[in-house]
Amino acid sequence: DFQRGIAETHYHIGKVALRRGKLDDAAKHLQKCLNLAEKIGDKRLKAMTYNDLGTVHHFKGEYEKALELKMKCLEYFERIDDKYEMGRAQNNIGVTYDQMEDYEKALEWYEKCIKTSKEIGEIRGMAYGLANAAGCYIETGEDLEKAKSYLDKSFEIFQKLGEKRAVAMCYADYGIIYHKKKEWAKACEMFEKSIKIAEEIKSLEMLSYIYRDYARMLADKGDRAKAREMFEKAIACYEKLGNKVKVEEVKKELEGL
């Protein structure tokens, strides 16, 4: 029990470091948790740690490794039929495919997450699945109305739950919808609201892609100076996160401005 307590402490410290963008710290604590969980035979804690370690690799742009760990997590929770953790893992797998810009695969996993979460009345998980699926529909530009209806549902849930990080994410997605509709003033308003919350909660990983999406919108709008500033802020965030893949991607976008 004493060792389990130490393992769980490492797990929670790792999760906090992850949210703050301190990826090396997060990896160190999560690995310690994994080693102890292995030693004491705590399969559940091991599977949960795979999920979060997968997210560390995801933020670093190591997507194949991220998927491998998240799939290991899902396999365990499918075996014991833990639908709460299954929904989380399905959503996280979707997020990695999303970052790889494989939106078809991402949508498939988000829809699985929505279905699993709905089955057990887990509204938080459902809201994440809906918001992330909305993001895919927005990215492909295929169905903006469906995207908005998914987003409206998730936004309402996140506001009720007081989930600031997710509310910021929704504002950014609304910003992209208004960008695609060329409603510039509305888009700017949404991105500014999103940035304000993400800066408040010091969420580096969120800021990195909010700045990037805002920059793209500003570039389309013709505000090149402000777009440049936002691209530079996105690069700084990705550098702090150690995501070399995204640093290079955004630098290319900045050069093409």
Side-chain angles (χ1 to χ4, degrees):
D1 270 357
F2 177 67
Q3 284 195 311
R4 180 173 282 108
I6 293 173
E8 284 173 355
T9 303
H10 279 301
Y11 174 73
H12 291 295
I13 294 170
K15 277 184 81 87
V16 171
L18 181 56
R19 282 281 164 247
R20 303 198 69 177
K22 296 181 189 298
L23 298 185
D24 291 337
D25 270 3
K28 185 178 74 183
H29 286 287
L30 290 169
Q31 192 57 55
K32 281 182 178 173
C33 171
L34 196 59
N35 296 344
L36 280 167
E38 181 84 60
K39 196 174 162 189
I40 59 176
D42 191 330
K43 289 178 184 171
R44 181 185 178 81
L45 185 56
K46 208 165 97 177
M48 284 167 71
T49 310
Y50 281 143
N51 199 3
D52 292 290
L53 257 180
T55 303
V56 171
H57 287 288
H58 168 104
F59 287 156
K60 287 188 167 187
E62 297 157 6
Y63 301 125
E64 295 303 328
K65 185 68 183 166
L67 283 174
E68 182 196 320
L69 289 166
K70 290 176 183 188
M71 289 293 190
K72 273 187 180 179
C73 163
L74 180 63
E75 280 160 20
Y76 172 76
F77 288 116
E78 279 178 338
R79 272 204 307 276
I80 63 165
D81 198 31
D82 182 329
K83 289 204 161 56
Y84 173 77
E85 291 295 342
M86 271 166 64
R88 279 186 71 226
Q90 287 162 343
N91 178 62
N92 286 343
I93 291 165
V95 171
T96 298
Y97 278 116
D98 208 331
Q99 280 293 292
M100 293 164 83
E101 295 181 5
D102 187 342
Y103 299 119
E104 204 178 310
K105 269 268 170 64
L107 263 174
E108 201 182 296
W109 284 99
Y110 291 146
E111 293 291 356
K112 282 182 184 179
C113 162
I114 294 165
K115 185 172 177 285
T116 304
S117 302
K118 211 172 187 174
E119 278 172 20
I120 56 166
E122 216 291 282
I123 61 161
R124 187 175 174 271
M126 203 169 84
Y128 270 103
L130 285 164
N132 288 330
C136 279
Y137 286 120
I138 293 165
E139 280 296 338
T140 56
E142 276 171 29
D143 199 337
L144 288 183
E145 288 319 303
K146 187 167 188 177
K148 192 174 179 304
S149 82
Y150 270 34
L151 203 51
D152 289 343
K153 283 178 198 164
S154 61
F155 186 64
E156 194 185 329
I157 295 169
F158 289 136
Q159 280 195 309
K160 278 182 189 162
L161 294 174
E163 193 114 350
K164 281 187 172 181
R165 186 178 170 277
V167 168
M169 177 176 79
C170 289
Y171 275 132
D173 281 341
Y174 280 124
I176 302 169
I177 289 176
Y178 288 122
H179 170 190
K180 290 197 184 273
K181 292 182 172 185
K182 292 185 165 48
E183 293 181 31
W184 309 120
K186 271 265 179 69
C188 283
E189 184 194 335
M190 293 297 141
F191 279 119
E192 290 292 345
K193 281 184 175 179
S194 176
I195 286 168
K196 187 171 182 285
I197 298 170
E199 283 178 345
E200 247 173 53
I201 60 171
K202 297 182 173 65
S203 179
L204 254 190
E205 109 274 358
M206 281 203 70
L207 282 167
S208 60
Y209 58 76
I210 296 168
Y211 286 141
R212 185 185 188 180
D213 287 328
Y214 194 12
R216 288 168 171 171
M217 188 279 291
L218 290 161
D220 274 1
K221 179 177 175 265
D223 189 345
R224 291 175 63 179
K226 185 103 186 266
R228 179 174 293 278
E229 182 197 326
M230 290 299 150
F231 275 133
E232 281 167 356
K233 284 187 172 185
I235 290 166
C237 288
Y238 281 126
E239 280 174 342
K240 279 182 192 166
L241 287 167
N243 189 335
K244 295 184 180 103
V245 178
K246 291 292 173 193
V247 168
E248 288 315 307
E249 277 180 21
V250 184
K251 277 183 177 172
K252 275 193 188 120
E253 285 190 72
L254 180 56
E255 282 162 20
L257 194 61

